Structure formats: structure tokens, C-alpha cells
Amino acid sequence: MKILVVDDEEDVKSLFEQKFRREIRGGQFEFSFAFSGEEALAFMQNHPSEVVMILSDINMPGMSGIELLKRIRADHPAAPPQVMMITAYGDSANHDQAMQLGADDFLTKPVNFNELKEKLLSIL
Amino acid sequence: MHFIVFFFLVQYAFSAMKATDRLARWDSFFKYARFYSFGLLAIYYIARQPDMYTWVWNLSLLALLWIFYKEDDFRDIRSTAQSILPFVGISMLSDTFELIFPKFHAKYDEIFGMTILFAWIFCFVIWFYARKQQKVLMQEREDRLREEKLAQEQKLSLEYLVAERTQELTQQKEELQKAIEELKATQNQLIQSEKMASLGELTAGIAHEIQNPLNFVNNFSEVSVELCQELEEEIDKVDISDEDKDYIKGIIGDLSQNQQKITHHGKRADSIVKGMLQHSRASSGEKEPVDVNALADEYMRLAYHGLRAKDKEFNAALTTDFDASIGTVNVLPQDLGRVFLNLFTNAFYAVAEKKRKLTEAGQLGDYKPEVKISTKKFDNKLYIRVSDNGIGMPDHVKAKIFQPFFTTKPTGQGTGLGLSMSYDIITNGHGGVLEVDTIEGEKTEFRLTIPIS
């Protein structure tokens, strides 16, 4: 399963790679990383219909996670990827907006990786 | 003729004196003067009108005139009284001539008689004129008196008006002063709440900024612990000497322990950050009708048992004084619960500290820790008091207790956010007031006032 993680913090990459070391080695997950919304859209363009799952931060400089979600839902109506939004602001306004725009799930930081792992495995 | 002049002169002097306040002193003088004139007249007729009698009259008139000139009281009538002088003078001249030159006198008898008559008429004309003038003066004086009286009345009414106004102004001044004092108090309150609000915002801002890096610290340390475990498993697969293996495992063990420490302290920091974030978080949930008495009771017990769990020795009397008429009140139950929890936790801490200090000093005596809660509904307001007979606070502590991060508890035992948050919840969340009263070493009382809408 190909998963695209979108976050402006570059350390997220090594964190995910270490946290899911076994799953990556076992070939269950394949992670790609984008450090902005624009980068994420470019990646989707270059790898059409590959990404099954997108994990995106909401609060990013430039294109926000919400904006990214809108574009993904508009640009990729066929074979839509699952989108999970992640944010430090666990308020209901953010949550409601994300869900309304077609997010599949909503996580708050700090991310509980065990929970996330279970969720990803269940989708798999 | 002389009698008439004399009598009228006395009469005139009398009436002139009547207009002044000097009459009383001269009352008997006028009486005697009148009797004297009538007496002289009577003697004149009894004595069959002797010729030399005019001398008596003239001398009497002169005497009268002399009295008028001698006494200052008569100065007003002097000028008028002078008018008799020609009459007296001519009369005496005529008599002198009659005595010395009888022939000459007899020859000009008519002329003397005429002259005396004219002088006599002159007297009365002057008097008449003087009387008229006096009347005008009297009139004027009366007018003046009336005016004075009127002025007096006006003055009185003005004074009354002034007194009234003065009272009004004094009252207004007092009211204004009171208003100023109220304004000052409100201003202080506003400054205080503004300060607390900005501190709250600052706290929340800092928390947000710290949260992300802190998440990384926690996540990476956690994953490092896992990596260490993996590494330990992997080392068994490698073929090296047991001695080296143990040495490497020892290092891995230390690394793992360090990572666990990082995780532990990171989690501690995280809980502080979470506490800070609760400041800014728009209140969790809506206001709903809540039995405040039950809520307070619940959290009182919760705080008590929380402390008991840590310190089995701890004991305190819980006194409740609930106003049953309160019923349910619209509040934010979770937030208000947090306030109760904070207040009770602090109260129990204060009594526990006092007991500990007294025990250390060996002066426990009959100290009985007590924590009280009382509720009251009055005038659309809810009054809640949480008091304890614990260690109390000095003034410099009391001044800071609502500031975030201020704590008197030892490191690790308090974040210094409890009261700051409680203040926020009561003032901003419920539009109420949170105050504190304390006597160092004796007691502390927190007073909550919440308006019931």
C-alpha cells in the first residue's frame, strides 16, 4: 500500500520510517513524503493512481491541508485516495470542515502511532 | 399768641421725636412742657392779662430753644425751631421799646403789632412747610422700611434656596465621589482581568509553539526505545564473544534507559503544555442545567480521595453547607468541575501542609484539618465559598496566585496553572468573579460569584 505523508516538518519522514520499519521492510507499506501541499499535488500528478492513502497535516505554510484536500477531491474523482487529516488543533471547527470536504478520518497530534498502525492495517 | 407758638413748638418736637426711637427718654419732658404751657396760659388769664407776661412767654420760648440746642437728640428739628427766633426777637424788641420809650412805642404800636403778626405767621408757615417735608420724609422712611422688609424676605428666601442648593450639591458631590470610587474599582478589576486574559493568551501561544517540537522529542525517544529492543534482539544473531555481547548489551541497556527518561520527562512537559492549552481552548461543551451542589460534593470527594490515595495518613473533616433552593443552574459542568477540583485540591494541600508543619514543630495540639464548602443563591447570583483552616498565604503570594505558572508547591507537584485556569473559567467562561481571602497560618477562603441568567 502506497502512503503519501504531507507535512512541512521534514523530521516526520525519519519518524515514520523508523516507526513503520518492520512494515516497510515487510513490504506492507510504502511511504512517500511531501513537505508541502504543492509538492503533494505534483507527486500525485507524476504517480497517478498509485497513492492509496494520504496523511496530511492541516496547518502548513502555503497550501493548507484543507486546500490540498479540496484539490485532491476535485482533481482525482476517479480512484480517489483515502485522506486522513492530522492537526495539532483538535477543535471541532477544523474537524467538521475536514469531514465535510471529504476527509476519511481525522487525527490529532501528538499522533498515536499504535492507533495509526491499526487503522492503516485495517484498511489494508 | 405766645401760647400757640409754644404749644405747637412742643407738639412739633413731640411728633418729630415720635418718628425716632428717642421718644421714651423725652416722654416726661414733653408732658411737663405741655402742662407748663397750659399753666402759663391759665395764670395769664387768672392774672387778668398783665403786660409783662409776654416776657415770661418769650423767655420760656428761649429756654425751650436752648434745650433743643443743647440736646443732640433734637438736632433734626433745630432748623425748624429757629423759625420762632424772629417772632421772639420782635416781640421782645416791642416790649423793650414799650418799657423804655412808651411814647415811641405807642406811636408805632400798629407797626410793631403787624411785624409781630408777620413773624408769628412766618413761624407757622415754616412749621407747616417743615411738617409737609417731614411727612414726605416719613413716607420715604416707611417706603424704605417696606423695601428693607421685602429685601429681608428675599434675602431669607435666597438663603433658603442657597442652603437647598448647597445640600443638593453636597449630595451630588458625594454621589460623584462614590461613582469615582466605583469606577476606580472597576478599572482595577478590568486591568486585572485584562492582565490575566493576555497572560492566558500568551500561555496558550507558548504552548502551541512548544507542542510540535515536543511531539518530535516524545515520538523519537519512543521509537528509539523500540529500536534499542530490536538491536538487542539482533545482537543475539551475531556471532561474537559473550564478553563483547554483554558489553554491547550494557550500552544498549543504558541507551534504552536514557530514551525512557527522555520519554518520561517529555510526557511531563506534554501534560504541562496540555494544561496550558486548556486556557485558550474554547470551552469544552455547552452550558447546561447542573445541580451545582452535587457537582461540588462530587469533586470534593474526588479531591479528598485523590490525596488519600497518595497519603494514607491524611485526614480532614469535610463540611458542606448547601443551599437546597439552588436547584439546577446553567453552567459549563466540566469546566466548573475543574475549578472545584483545583480549589479542593489546594484546600486539602493547605491543611495537610499545616498538619505536617505542626507535627514537625511538635505543636500539633488539637488541630483538626477542615475543608468547608457552602453555596447560596441570592438575587440571581450563585455564591460559592470554599474555605480551609490550612496554612493560608502571605500577601505577596496572594497577589500572584491567579497568574499562570505561579506555584508554591515543590517541583513536580503543581504546574501553577490550576488557579489561573479556574480564574479564566469563572470570569470568562461564566462572567463571574473569583476572589480570595486569607490569613497567613490560619485560613484561606475562595469566593465564587456566578450570575444566573
Side-chain angles (χ1 to χ4, degrees):
Chain A
M1 184 166 81
K2 199 153 190 177
I3 298 164
L4 176 64
V5 179
V6 190
D7 201 312
D8 58 317
E9 297 269 9
E10 303 204 357
D11 280 348
V12 165
K13 186 179 177 190
S14 56
L15 186 63
F16 268 78
E17 280 171 354
Q18 288 181 34
K19 275 282 177 186
F20 294 101
R21 180 184 294 273
R22 285 180 199 202
E23 287 77 9
I24 292 168
R25 199 191 271 179
Q28 283 171 298
F29 299 147
E30 189 190 337
F31 281 100
S32 301
F33 295 90
F35 302 115
S36 71
E38 291 84 351
E39 220 178 289
L41 284 177
F43 184 89
M44 301 268 294
Q45 213 69 42
N46 297 335
H47 306 82
S49 306
E50 274 181 33
V51 179
V52 180
M53 177 82 173
I54 294 172
L55 293 174
S56 174
D57 187 17
I58 288 182
N59 197 28
M60 290 184 291
M63 185 186 285
S64 78
I66 295 288
E67 188 67 27
L68 176 65
L69 175 62
K70 265 192 221 165
R71 294 286 297 274
I72 289 168
R73 288 291 174 244
D75 295 353
H76 303 273
Q82 293 245 349
V83 179
M84 254 188 220
M85 304 306 286
I86 304 171
T87 178
Y89 304 89
D91 54 292
S92 54
N94 251 335
H95 177 262
D96 291 351
Q97 200 188 3
M99 293 315 251
Q100 202 190 333
L101 287 168
D104 295 289
D105 210 337
F106 190 86
L107 298 173
T108 49
K109 284 182 180 178
V111 177
N112 184 333
F113 280 93
N114 293 329
E115 200 185 318
L116 178 62
K117 203 178 279 184
E118 273 167 31
K119 274 187 180 174
L120 291 175
L121 286 171
S122 73
I123 290 165
L124 192 72
Chain B
M1 230 158 134
H2 282 83
F3 163 73
I4 292 168
V5 171
F6 190 93
F7 184 75
F8 274 94
L9 187 62
V10 171
Q11 228 18 55
Y12 171 77
F14 177 73
S15 65
M17 287 302 272
K18 214 156 63 171
T20 70
D21 55 354
R22 299 185 287 262
L23 180 67
R25 200 139 33 103
W26 296 96
D27 204 28
S28 52
F29 166 76
F30 285 116
K31 224 191 278 170
Y32 289 128
R34 268 179 223 143
F35 284 135
Y36 177 73
S37 63
F38 282 115
L40 280 187
L41 187 66
I43 292 166
Y44 174 64
Y45 283 108
I46 290 164
R48 294 171 188 233
Q49 311 170 354
D51 282 349
M52 43 67 69
Y53 215 79
T54 49
W55 286 99
V56 178
W57 278 118
N58 282 331
L59 288 175
S60 300
L61 278 169
L62 282 175
L64 203 61
L65 216 57
W66 182 71
I67 288 169
F68 286 171
Y69 270 85
K70 213 185 112 197
E71 295 293 333
D72 266 352
D73 287 351
F74 294 103
R75 63 183 178 279
D76 294 345
I77 54 163
R78 274 173 201 162
S79 55
T80 318
Q82 278 168 12
S83 62
I84 65 161
L85 278 176
F87 171 71
V88 174
I90 291 165
S91 175
M92 280 174 80
L93 198 70
S94 160
D95 288 348
T96 312
F97 273 104
E98 196 176 4
L99 208 66
I100 304 168
F101 312 109
K103 275 192 189 152
F104 177 79
H105 184 265
K107 197 174 169 187
Y108 297 100
D109 187 33
E110 271 178 33
I111 293 169
F112 278 112
M114 285 292 279
T115 318
I116 288 168
L117 189 66
F118 279 130
W120 187 76
I121 290 167
F122 173 75
C123 283
F124 282 93
V125 168
I126 292 289
W127 286 350
F128 182 72
Y129 186 70
R131 253 180 91 88
K132 226 171 112 181
Q133 250 185 347
Q134 203 181 17
K135 264 187 189 165
V136 171
L137 273 172
M138 287 276 280
Q139 189 70 35
E140 270 176 16
R141 190 176 292 151
E142 259 172 41
D143 284 352
R144 210 165 54 231
L145 273 174
R146 207 179 305 128
E147 273 168 22
E148 261 174 33
K149 211 173 156 191
L150 212 71
Q152 193 74 22
E153 273 168 17
Q154 275 178 340
K155 197 181 136 204
L156 268 176
S157 71
L158 272 175
E159 266 171 12
Y160 177 75
L161 221 67
V162 167
E164 210 176 34
R165 288 282 148 80
T166 311
Q167 209 202 340
E168 268 174 35
L169 283 173
T170 315
Q171 208 179 339
Q172 276 178 345
K173 193 191 120 203
E174 273 164 17
E175 276 168 17
L176 282 172
Q177 234 156 13
K178 220 170 113 188
I180 286 174
E181 270 160 32
E182 273 170 22
L183 272 175
K184 272 187 187 160
T186 314
Q187 194 189 27
N188 280 341
Q189 243 170 17
L190 271 177
I191 290 170
Q192 180 71 5
S193 65
E194 200 56 39
K195 204 168 98 184
M196 299 314 288
S198 53
L199 267 171
E201 273 169 33
L202 187 68
T203 308
I206 294 168
H208 267 298
E209 291 307 310
I210 291 173
Q211 204 184 30
N212 275 334
L214 192 59
N215 282 342
F216 277 114
V217 170
N218 287 337
N219 285 326
F220 275 114
S221 64
E222 261 174 29
V223 85
S224 296
V225 173
E226 287 167 24
L227 288 178
C228 285
Q229 277 166 5
E230 265 184 64
L231 193 61
E232 222 177 324
E233 286 162 23
E234 292 300 315
I235 207 98
D236 284 333
K237 294 178 189 169
V238 185
D239 187 24
I240 46 170
S241 69
D242 278 356
E243 204 181 314
D244 285 348
K245 215 177 257 184
D246 283 346
Y247 181 64
I248 293 170
K249 274 191 180 175
I251 294 173
I252 293 170
D254 281 351
L255 262 179
S256 174
Q257 211 171 26
N258 290 353
Q259 297 301 337
Q260 275 166 10
K261 287 261 182 264
I262 294 171
T263 311
H264 171 74
H265 290 288
K267 288 265 157 70
R268 216 178 105 194
D270 193 54
S271 73
I272 293 170
V273 167
K274 284 224 167 60
M276 287 159 78
L277 280 172
Q278 275 171 342
H279 257 295
S280 70
R281 193 151 297 167
S283 187
S284 45
E286 299 281 309
K287 278 192 183 174
E288 49 188 275
V290 172
D291 182 347
V292 175
N293 290 342
L295 190 76
D297 200 50
E298 185 191 329
Y299 278 97
M300 190 179 195
R301 272 157 227 297
L302 199 67
Y304 181 63
H305 293 299
L307 203 67
R308 286 269 294 184
K310 278 189 243 168
D311 178 8
K312 291 266 181 268
E313 298 280 299
F314 178 70
N315 202 311
L318 313 182
T319 313
T320 55
D321 174 16
F322 291 135
D323 179 356
S325 75
I326 292 173
T328 60
V329 178
N330 264 327
V331 292
L332 303 161
Q334 282 173 345
D335 288 2
L336 195 62
R338 209 178 284 153
V339 173
F340 281 134
L341 192 63
N342 281 322
L343 294 182
F344 285 126
T345 306
N346 286 342
F348 287 127
Y349 180 81
V351 292
E353 276 295 293
K354 185 165 178 181
K355 194 176 176 186
R356 189 179 62 80
K357 281 183 180 170
L358 288 174
T359 311
E360 272 176 17
Q363 297 172 323
L364 191 59
D366 59 348
Y367 175 65
K368 286 197 172 57
E370 187 181 20
V371 173
K372 266 193 246 180
I373 165 109
S374 73
T375 58
K376 196 94 204 148
K377 189 170 136 183
F378 174 71
D379 195 21
N380 266 337
K381 274 179 186 161
L382 184 59
Y383 296 90
I384 303 171
R385 286 174 182 212
V386 175
S387 55
D388 64 73
N389 59 352
I391 49 174
M393 290 175 276
D395 279 348
H396 69 272
V397 170
K398 184 188 161 192
K400 286 185 183 167
I401 54 165
F402 294 123
Q403 289 178 10
F405 302 115
F406 179 80
T407 182
T408 55
K409 292 176 186 169
T411 316
Q413 284 196 35
T415 58
L417 289 169
L419 282 179
S420 143
M421 200 155 52
S422 301
Y423 186 89
D424 210 43
I425 289 168
I426 297 300
T427 53
N428 294 332
H430 292 88
V433 178
L434 178 59
E435 294 165 306
V436 65
D437 245 356
T438 179
I439 299 172
E440 190 180 0
E442 282 184 33
K443 63 169 189 175
T444 302
E445 180 178 82
F446 282 92
R447 289 195 302 271
L448 287 83
T449 313
I450 299 172
I452 306 169
S453 46

